[in-house]
Amino acid sequence: MRIRITEGHSFQALIVNRLNHNKIVTRHFITVLSWLVVPLCLVLWTIPAKGQQFFKVTLENIGRSFPYTISGIGRNINDRESFVVNPGQIAEMGMPIFPTARLSFVAKFWESNDLFFAPDEVGIPLFENGVPLVGDITDRIFLWDAGTELNEEPGIGDYQPPRQETTNTGPDDDNQLVRRVDDEFDYPAVSEMLRVTIELRKAYGVDAAFVHMANVSTEETLVLSDGSSKPVVVSESMYAVHTEPGPLFTPGQPASGALELFAEDGEASSLFLGLLFQTGPTPVLSPGVWVSYYMDGPLFYPGIEEPGMGLEALAEDGNTTPLLRSLSKIPQHTVGTFSGPMVPGSTLPANIEPGDVSEFIVAGKPETSLTIATKFVESNDLFVSTEPQGILLIPSVLPADGTFTDHLYLWNAGTEADEWPGLGPHQLPRQMSPNSGPPDSDNRVRKGGIVLSERFTQAFASLTIRPMQSVPFHLFIENIATDLPASTIVPIAFSPGVAVVHGGASPLFMQGAVEPGFGLEMLAEDGNPSAVESALSSSAGYLPHVFGIPEGETAPGLLHPGSKYRAVVEGVPGTSLSIALMFVESNDVFVAPGPSGIPLFDTEGNPITGDVTEHFSLWDAGTELNEEPGLGANQPARQSGPNTGQMDPDTAVRLVDDGFTYPEVSDILRVSVVPTQTATATLAELPNRVELYGNYPNPFTQSTTIAFSLVEATPVRLSIYNLLGVHIADLTDGWMSAGTHEILWDGRNAHGLPVSTGLYVYRLSASNTNVTKHMLRLR
């Protein structure tokens, strides 16, 4: 297709008054080629790229959910050695508070068979009407029957703790359900035996409720049938802070074994341990950010203030966007995000709950490191990350492979004051809005948090890193704009472009964000991908592939109707392909898939093949003010030099929406990908220059396949060397036909002996061209 010209100023009526014939267009295209394509010949096709290795990273939450956030024993503050609370003595229970918290406790009526004091099953709310509950709460405490042992008169029964010979000796209760006391005996009112109050104090720097259970009985409180009387004795209390009802018992249901032991005999250890093992902040992790990098500290430095790149938003609110955008602006970093399993019906990234597994693909190069950051949700600003030096992905010849949980620590961002984990009103599950808590008085990034050690992550996190074997893909980009008569049209052309495979976010742009500043502007305005290529080549994980030699040509040039670009990229399951090339008759419009790229594999891990044009759209780089396409004086075919137009007032990268009319991408461009190991016969018809592709699999254990393309029939030698340059074997040495070929190497040397583990070089010599690549043998 070309741009049809009619009267007016629509896309179909472009520049009939300014371009009277195609010779003018051709002259302008030659002009733009003189300053656009020649530098590409000198720069882009002479820079060697560093190798790229993909890794699958698995972060598993091996923790479990806890029903109680706080539990403990109410101790006798008058006699620390006593396990009972006598008249005039007080048992104290202390706990941090939060708006949805409820308190439940049980305390044995000592001289009974199985009676205990407790609030009802839903507990006592520690906040009412938005304010902490304080004062006397005795009216919320009741006397309960555990239903486990037949009741005797309190204070006299032979099977009650002061008198029974051994534990658990009384006959069973006919009604074995927990219930309020209702038998033939008389009992004092609860208020005659206990007075329960709440006061607020500070503990661990946070507001805490201190519940006092005072024994207010006297010598006359418990009147016995023999005419005597005595005071009431109460056991220590077992308590739990919770949000769901029924933590200790449920009326109308049988008592647990631990409650039976406690209610009958005052044996507290089973109930205490049962509560203890179910108490704690549930270890939930937020969606997170990963980054591979060359230098220490892309996220933070211990002992100094958070650097202001977005770590605060992640550590306080689980918001990955600010940090991702900041890191994406640094071309040396390779970045991405991870999250838990998608919630059905939701498009938002999910938390990593206990039992969840988050898998993500990381790209790295030699000497690069990996770090992650994910919020510990039940906190104010705690996050999980590595030391600043991270995890070295390729420490020597062999890539990282194994479990790296011991590299993870719990960090405090120093941006918001700590509250008790799992309880604070300014923590993510409970806060009214983001960034709502008071600032931390210590603004340094540091390890650990309130009552949580730096190694707390060992209890719930598991991190593994596995190298992956890449699959080579042929990429074909064809200008199909050929269906309009030449007398009424301006040709549509595309510039040379760049392709990059990534496991995380696209390094080319983020929708709605300002152009990242490492080359998209030059590509989108002037069709020059050299800056993008240079920036990404210096990155810790991206391996850019520049394409720009039209099929049948020997030098870079614009992609005119009927012409085709081609490139070779490598990917693994979980990676995506991003491409960008300029729509030449524009100011800064480029063709690309969305920021997430094109998945190279389906959900079952099979490489895709065929037409992927449906993923592509026309994008506005937001760097130069748009003029009508095909007419603008500051567009490449007419501008006097690069970067000459006015600045766009809207600097965000966005889908083209400027009031002008553009063709559908599918009418002017066709993009397809073909995995090499599944399409040898098809690829044999396609080569236009000598190409040596990455071996597959790589790394390999038994054998690997090496593919290459030849332009013509020619003598070919494919040889293997070790890193010292010692010749290992020749896989082929003779004439071969034009096309794409694949040769299997079984990992043996010229004498038929298997070679050892290590890095090897394979070299292709054909048509006066020598190309080398590396591969890794594992045994």
Side-chain angles (χ1 to χ4, degrees):
M1 180 185 285
R2 300 179 182 182
I3 304 173
R4 184 185 297 276
I5 299 173
T6 59
E7 293 184 0
H9 291 285
S10 66
F11 184 78
Q12 288 77 17
L14 283 173
I15 50 172
V16 67
N17 295 322
R18 300 178 63 180
L19 298 176
N20 294 319
H21 49 76
N22 287 341
K23 290 182 180 180
I24 297 177
V25 177
T26 302
R27 185 171 69 247
H28 282 294
F29 278 178
I30 292 173
T31 300
V32 72
L33 282 173
S34 67
W35 52 262
L36 165 62
V37 177
V38 171
L40 297 181
C41 296
L42 298 177
V43 178
L44 299 184
W45 282 272
T46 62
I47 299 177
K50 295 181 180 180
Q52 181 184 40
Q53 171 74 57
F54 290 107
F55 297 84
K56 176 183 284 187
V57 180
T58 303
L59 178 62
E60 183 178 1
N61 189 332
I62 59 174
R64 59 189 181 90
S65 298
F66 293 101
Y68 319 133
T69 50
I70 295 289
S71 65
I73 302 176
R75 302 310 303 266
N76 188 331
I77 62 176
N78 304 103
D79 183 359
R80 294 291 183 181
E81 301 300 319
S82 176
F83 293 98
V84 296
V85 182
N86 291 303
Q89 295 182 334
I90 297 174
E92 183 179 75
M93 298 169 273
M95 64 218 67
I97 58 174
F98 60 99
T100 59
R102 291 176 173 271
L103 168 67
S104 288
F105 70 88
V106 292
K108 175 175 174 54
F109 187 132
W110 195 251
E111 292 198 59
S112 73
N113 295 79
D114 62 350
L115 306 186
F116 61 93
F117 297 97
D120 60 26
E121 65 172 316
V122 299
I124 299 169
L126 294 177
F127 270 73
E128 287 190 336
N129 300 318
V131 297
L133 180 67
V134 295
D136 194 323
I137 59 168
T138 308
D139 61 346
R140 307 187 191 208
I141 312 302
F142 308 97
L143 188 59
W144 297 85
D145 188 334
T148 58
E149 188 171 298
L150 187 65
N151 287 347
E152 302 168 311
E153 182 179 356
I156 294 181
D158 293 335
Y159 298 111
Q160 296 168 0
R163 288 165 293 280
Q164 62 186 4
E165 294 181 357
T166 184
T167 59
N168 196 27
T169 56
D172 291 341
D173 195 329
D174 295 335
N175 181 353
Q176 296 188 347
L177 304 179
V178 178
R179 59 199 184 273
R180 299 268 187 95
V181 170
D182 183 17
D183 55 30
E184 70 271 24
F185 304 113
D186 293 324
Y187 297 90
V190 171
S191 60
E192 296 177 31
M193 297 182 280
L194 299 178
R195 183 171 183 266
V196 183
T197 57
I198 300 179
E199 64 173 312
L200 294 184
R201 297 206 301 264
K202 287 285 186 180
Y204 294 98
V206 300
D207 289 332
F210 285 84
V211 181
H212 290 151
M213 183 184 71
N215 187 334
V216 296
S217 68
T218 68
E219 293 291 339
E220 289 76 34
T221 298
L222 189 61
V223 179
L224 305 178
S225 61
D226 62 4
S228 64
S229 65
K230 62 170 61 177
V232 170
V233 178
V234 182
S235 76
E236 291 180 311
S237 57
M238 301 288 110
Y239 70 93
V241 179
H242 56 99
T243 56
E244 299 297 324
L248 301 174
F249 64 90
T250 301
Q253 298 293 325
S256 67
L259 181 59
E260 177 180 6
L261 291 174
F262 181 75
E264 288 187 17
D265 306 308
E267 200 283 299
S269 59
S270 296
L271 187 57
F272 172 72
L273 291 175
L275 291 173
L276 180 64
F277 290 139
Q278 298 184 76
T279 299
T282 296
V284 178
L285 296 174
S286 74
V289 172
W290 64 263
V291 53
S292 61
Y293 54 99
Y294 284 117
M295 300 178 66
D296 285 356
L299 303 180
F300 63 90
Y301 287 97
I304 66 172
E305 187 175 355
E306 185 271 330
M309 295 179 61
L311 181 61
E312 178 176 8
L314 176 67
E316 289 187 16
D317 306 309
N319 182 359
T320 61
T321 301
L323 184 59
L324 182 66
R325 288 187 173 181
S326 295
L327 295 172
S328 297
K329 294 178 182 178
I330 304 173
Q332 288 76 24
H333 293 163
T334 306
V335 300
T337 59
F338 59 89
S339 60
M342 290 294 295
V343 177
S346 174
T347 59
L348 298 176
N351 287 336
I352 305 170
E353 306 274 352
D356 287 345
V357 175
S358 179
E359 292 184 344
F360 47 99
I361 306 301
V362 168
K365 295 177 182 176
E367 302 178 4
T368 65
S369 296
L370 168 71
T371 191
I372 66 171
T374 170
K375 174 179 174 58
F376 184 74
V377 170
E378 291 286 357
S379 73
N380 295 79
D381 61 350
L382 302 184
F383 64 99
V384 174
S385 187
T386 66
E387 296 275 13
Q389 63 267 28
I391 301 167
L392 198 57
L393 287 175
I394 308 180
S396 56
V397 174
L398 298 178
D401 186 359
T403 301
F404 294 87
T405 305
D406 60 347
H407 285 66
L408 297 181
Y409 296 88
L410 192 66
W411 294 86
N412 190 325
T415 58
E416 188 170 297
D418 286 342
E419 300 165 322
W420 195 281
L423 302 181
H426 300 295
Q427 294 169 0
L428 187 58
R430 291 166 290 279
Q431 65 185 5
M432 299 298 293
S433 61
N435 195 29
S436 58
D440 195 330
S441 58
D442 181 355
N443 63 3
R444 300 171 302 126
V445 178
R446 57 201 187 271
K447 286 181 179 176
I450 182 172
V451 305
L452 294 178
S453 74
E454 63 187 53
R455 282 301 189 182
F456 181 57
T457 52
Q458 308 299 305
F460 66 87
S462 174
L463 182 73
T464 58
I465 302 175
R466 302 293 185 194
M468 301 185 72
Q469 300 170 346
S470 59
V471 176
F473 289 81
H474 277 267
L475 168 65
F476 304 101
I477 303 169
E478 183 178 2
N479 188 333
I480 59 172
T482 57
D483 65 335
L484 296 182
S487 61
T488 59
I489 55 179
V490 172
I492 288 179
F494 300 95
S495 73
V498 65
V500 60
V501 176
H502 49 93
S506 169
L508 301 180
F509 67 94
M510 291 183 67
Q511 187 173 0
V514 176
E515 183 272 326
F518 50 92
L520 181 63
E521 179 177 10
M522 185 181 293
L523 187 152
E525 289 187 16
D526 306 310
N528 185 348
S530 62
V532 173
E533 195 277 344
S534 178
L536 297 185
S537 289
S538 69
S539 74
Y542 299 124
L543 184 62
H545 299 265
V546 170
F547 51 85
I549 302 177
E551 186 177 45
E553 303 291 336
T554 58
L558 295 178
L559 189 68
H560 292 293
S563 296
K564 181 187 299 181
Y565 288 144
R566 67 185 68 230
V568 176
V569 298
E570 295 185 7
V572 299
T575 57
S576 298
L577 171 66
S578 286
I579 302 169
L581 65 165
M582 183 189 183
F583 181 76
V584 172
E585 286 291 337
S586 73
N587 296 78
D588 64 347
V589 174
F590 63 99
V591 184
S596 57
I598 305 165
L600 286 174
F601 294 79
D602 62 23
T603 55
E604 297 183 358
N606 301 310
I608 64 168
T609 183
D611 193 322
V612 294
T613 312
E614 64 179 358
H615 293 276
F616 284 78
S617 303
L618 287 174
W619 294 86
D620 189 328
T623 57
E624 186 171 298
L625 186 66
N626 286 351
E627 302 165 318
E628 188 170 357
L631 285 173
N634 295 303
Q635 295 168 358
R638 289 159 292 282
Q639 64 186 3
S640 58
N643 197 26
T644 57
Q646 298 180 47
M647 183 179 295
D648 193 329
D650 183 354
T651 57
V653 180
R654 59 200 186 271
L655 292 168
V656 170
D657 183 18
D658 55 16
F660 302 118
T661 304
Y662 295 84
E664 295 291 332
V665 171
S666 59
D667 290 335
I668 56 177
L669 198 69
R670 181 166 55 236
V671 183
S672 56
V673 293
V674 182
T676 61
Q677 80 275 17
T678 60
T680 303
T682 303
L683 297 174
E685 305 171 2
L686 302 175
N688 67 348
R689 59 179 175 178
V690 174
E691 295 264 16
L692 177 62
Y693 309 120
N695 62 300
Y696 178 81
N698 187 29
F700 68 98
T701 54
Q702 299 299 323
S703 63
T704 188
T705 299
I706 300 172
F708 55 89
S709 295
L710 305 175
V711 179
E712 58 187 354
T714 184
V716 175
R717 185 179 184 185
L718 181 61
S719 304
I720 310 294
Y721 300 86
N722 65 19
L723 286 183
L724 298 178
V726 176
H727 180 260
I728 301 298
D730 287 329
L731 303 188
T732 185
D733 189 5
W735 279 84
M736 298 188 74
S737 61
T740 297
H741 304 267
E742 291 183 346
I743 294 181
L744 182 73
W745 183 40
D746 60 5
R748 298 178 181 273
N749 62 20
H751 304 289
L753 300 176
V755 300
S756 60
T757 292
L759 195 64
Y760 292 87
V761 176
Y762 57 103
R763 175 173 175 162
L764 177 70
S765 299
S767 299
N768 298 317
T769 299
N770 294 305
V771 190
T772 61
K773 287 183 178 290
H774 294 80
M775 58 184 166
L776 179 62
R777 172 74 187 275
L778 298 176
R779 294 188 61 192

